[in-house]
């Protein structure tokens, strides 16, 4: 008499979908606080600090560099201590620290103190990003790709909300009020993200070594994952083709090219992400600069989901190359043509691509099967962001237009590197790692056996990948 392994019924599709959307909303709130406000609110506040706090253009570049240096340190911490970024306490602590650094900016006129605060904010932002994205990829991998895109859209929502706050306050208050308002917004978003479930710890060897590998729910409800289908039928005795094969080796060569492209993108995009408002206000004073930054955020909200949908039918490197070319045009536009139309078009092109580029690059990294690809790519991106303000600092004495042109050229170089990846790049979603497979069980034979004393085989268990 054979004993069947008990199976837990998968959750209803509606409940699973609601749970996924709740997770997406909390992730979006964390990214809105950590990135949209914590990092990018400096962009619309920078012109106010120039005019009201006596901040020079070179000091503004130093503040930006400090923030991006902190971001690199946080990304490296995610590589060195992956268990730490899976801690809910660390995620919550970073959200609180980030809000406090924003609130502390108006308490001093000391540039060294500002540099220290922006450095600490950068560390917190990176840890928030790596933790939130790791949780996102691990918990909704069985759901459509556009869900992750809407989570990344939280960055755009944070940009738009903080930009609106600064735009509303600039005529009624000063730069201090702008920082305090951004701290309050970050605190509200922190509350919304407070119960975000972080990435679960990887299973131990004892948990993955069992008589039957896989099981109900591996890869999502019903055992369906992005890398294939699990039949889950008892007694079928079928195994997926290649289920006993070792997983493919990481594609380190292509990952190196992808890292180069993403690092160059970090150099170019951060120049626009830091100085776009100031550059626009040089030729279009008034509300145009702040309004363009709000438009950047609004364009960014749906962009990642749209690029993710396109990624289901197109090559990730091809889309990455196209997005980078469009972004380069958006960065160069304010330097080549003045006026309101050019400023707003630049905002739409830049906002509609920079988060999509991150989504496409991180997705491509997972398809290349490199461990800790999110943290590694984020580290390269961070190096680029440190180099960006330093590279254009000598050009800022003549305004921001030359800096934007240089940034556009660097982004075009990133597009060229992405184009190299197109040949032979693996398509489709990356398969989740499989546990060690048990040897196939003998199956019953319906035909009469030659030996009458042969024992019938046990019904096999369906192995779910």
């Amino acid at each position: 008499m054979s004993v069947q392994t008990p199976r837990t019924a998968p959750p209803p599709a509606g409940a699973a979908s609601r749970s996924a959307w709740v997770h997406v909303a909390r992730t979006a709130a964390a990214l809105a606080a950590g990135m949209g406000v914590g990092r990018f609110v400096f962009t619309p506040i920078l012109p106010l600090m120039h005019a009201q706090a006596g901040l020079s253009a070179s000091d503004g570049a130093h503040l930006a560099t400090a923030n991006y240096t902190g971001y690199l340190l946080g990304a490296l911490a995610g590589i060195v201590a992956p268990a730490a970024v899976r801690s809910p306490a660390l995620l919550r602590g970073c959200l609180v620290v980030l809000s406090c650094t924003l609130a502390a900016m108006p308490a001093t006129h000391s540039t060294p103190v500002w540099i220290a605060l922006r450095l600490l904010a950068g560390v917190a932002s990176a840890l928030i990003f790596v933790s939130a994205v790791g949780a996102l990829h691990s918990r909704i991998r069985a759901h459509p790709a556009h869900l992750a895109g809407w989570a990344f859209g939280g960055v755009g929502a944070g940009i738009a909300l903080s930009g609106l706050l600064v735009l509303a306050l600039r005529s009624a208050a000063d730069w201090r009020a702008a920082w305090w308002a951004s701290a309050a917004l970050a605190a509200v978003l922190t509350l919304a993200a407070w119960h975000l479930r972080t990435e679960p710890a990887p299973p131990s060897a004892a948990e993955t070594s069992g008589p039957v590998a896989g099981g109900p729910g591996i890869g999502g409800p019903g055992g369906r994952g992005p890398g294939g289908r699990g039949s889950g039928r008892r007694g079928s005795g079928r195994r997926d083709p290649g289920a006993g094969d070792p997983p493919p080796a990481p594609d380190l060569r292509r990952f190196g090219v992808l890292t180069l492209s993403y690092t160059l993108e970090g150099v170019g995009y951060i120049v626009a992400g830091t100085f776009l408002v100031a550059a626009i206000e040089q030729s279009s004073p008034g509300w145009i600069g702040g309004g363009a930054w709000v438009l950047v955020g609004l364009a960014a909200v749906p962009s990642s989901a749209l690029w993710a949908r396109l990624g289901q039918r197109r090559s990730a490197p091809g889309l990455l190359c196209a997005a980078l070319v469009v972004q380069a045009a958006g960065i160069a536009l304010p330097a080549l043509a003045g006026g309101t139309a050019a400023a707003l078009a630049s905002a739409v092109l830049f906002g509609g691509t920079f988060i999509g580029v991150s989504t496409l690059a991180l997705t491509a990294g997972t398809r290349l099967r490199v461990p800790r690809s999110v943290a590694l790519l984020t580290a390269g991106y961070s190096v680029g962001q440190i180099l960006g303000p330093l590279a254009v600092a000598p050009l800022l004495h003549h305004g921001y237009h030359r800096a934007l042109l240089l940034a556009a050229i660097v982004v075009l170089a990133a597009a060229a590197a992405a184009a190299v990846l197109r040949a032979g790049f693996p398509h489709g979603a990356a398969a989740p790692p499989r546990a060690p497979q048990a040897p196939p069980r003998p199956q019953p034979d319906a035909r009469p056996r030659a030996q009458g004393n042969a024992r019938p085989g046990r019904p096999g268990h369906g192995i779910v990948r």
Side-chain angles (χ1 to χ4, degrees), residues 173-384:
D174 62 0
W175 65 278
R176 296 182 184 87
W179 281 111
W180 285 325
S182 65
L185 175 60
V188 171
L189 293 169
T190 293
L191 292 177
W194 195 256
H195 295 290
L196 175 64
R197 294 185 299 161
T198 52
E199 182 181 6
S204 64
E207 293 171 330
T208 57
S209 60
V212 179
I218 298 297
R224 295 177 185 266
R229 295 183 179 181
S231 65
R233 290 178 294 179
R234 298 178 186 174
S236 66
R238 296 181 182 179
R239 300 179 65 195
D240 289 330
D245 299 335
D251 192 337
L252 298 179
R253 183 180 63 84
R254 285 193 175 89
F255 188 78
V257 177
L258 176 64
T259 303
L260 172 64
S261 175
Y262 200 44
T263 300
L264 291 172
E265 156 68 357
V267 174
Y269 116 92
I270 203 59
V271 173
T274 303
F275 303 119
L276 183 64
V277 173
I280 291 174
E281 289 192 354
Q282 276 189 330
S283 55
S284 302
W287 63 271
I288 301 300
W293 189 245
V294 173
L295 192 56
V296 166
L298 293 176
V301 171
S303 67
S304 187
L306 294 176
W307 286 108
R309 281 188 179 276
L310 290 173
Q312 294 175 343
R313 299 185 296 272
R314 304 281 185 177
S315 162
L319 285 175
L320 181 60
C321 180
L324 288 167
V325 170
V326 172
Q327 184 185 112
I331 293 173
L333 194 55
L336 299 175
T340 303
L344 299 183
S346 170
V348 172
L349 295 178
F350 180 69
T353 53
F354 82 94
I355 299 179
V357 165
S358 292
T359 305
L360 293 168
L362 296 179
T363 299
T366 60
R367 291 180 184 176
L368 295 174
R369 304 172 298 276
V370 174
R372 304 179 191 173
S373 60
V374 171
L376 289 169
L377 287 170
T378 302
Y381 199 54
S382 303
V383 171

Side-chain angles (χ1 to χ4, degrees), residues 80-185:
V80 174
V85 297
R86 293 193 293 265
S87 167
L90 179 69
L91 175 62
R92 294 169 182 174
C94 287
L95 288 166
V96 171
V97 167
L98 186 72
S99 300
C100 292
T101 62
L102 297 174
M105 286 293 289
T108 181
H109 275 77
S110 171
T111 301
V113 175
W114 284 338
I115 288 176
L117 289 172
R118 295 308 291 161
L119 178 72
L120 183 57
V123 174
S125 291
L127 291 173
I128 291 168
F129 181 83
V130 174
S131 179
V133 172
L136 181 71
H137 285 170
S138 67
R139 294 193 181 275
I140 67 167
R141 70 174 63 210
H143 295 273
H146 69 87
L147 282 182
W150 287 113
F152 279 101
V155 179
I159 289 173
L161 290 172
S162 59
L164 281 172
L165 275 179
V166 176
L167 188 62
L169 291 171
R170 64 182 299 158
S171 60
D174 62 0
W175 65 278
R176 296 182 184 87
W179 281 111
W180 285 325
S182 65
L185 175 60

